[in-house]
Amino acid sequence: EAAMSAPPPADPAQAQWCYLDRSGNEFGPFPADKLRDWYERGLFPVGEELLVRLPHWYRHAPLKYCFEKDSFFRGPPKCWDEPAGHGAPPPGHGAP
């Protein structure tokens, strides 16, 4: 089943992102500039493996699949559609 496509915001910094913590709890959505600030301050120990998603994505994907290296939460993601074949289902939607 394909994820719904959403038009990108006029300003990519206004994109809203959700993320999973190490316990699998989802937080967000938060604006990209806030997450960039947290990332640059080292608040995500998993670094580029941080699982994130745009609100219209079904699954989370590692940050490194969503952005080019050194451009995390800067500008638009590689694709506004969900990255295929990566990530984990949202909490409560995993296999038994």
Side-chain angles (χ1 to χ4, degrees), residues 2-6 56-57 80-82:
M4 292 185 333
S5 183
H56 65 277
W57 293 1
W80 287 102
D81 294 323
E82 185 173 344

Side-chain angles (χ1 to χ4, degrees), residues 23-57:
S23 301
N25 298 309
E26 182 175 74
F27 295 91
F30 295 106
D33 55 354
K34 181 178 288 289
L35 286 168
R36 182 178 66 242
D37 177 59
W38 292 345
Y39 182 85
E40 290 174 350
R41 289 168 48 201
L43 300 181
F44 300 119
V46 295
E48 66 183 19
E49 297 295 330
L50 179 70
L51 293 174
V52 298
R53 73 178 181 90
L54 289 167
H56 65 277
W57 293 1

Side-chain angles (χ1 to χ4, degrees), residues 11 14-15 23-24 28 36 57 69 74 88 92 94:
D11 178 358
Q14 298 304 310
S23 301
R36 182 178 66 242
W57 293 1
K69 185 89 171 150
R74 293 182 185 278

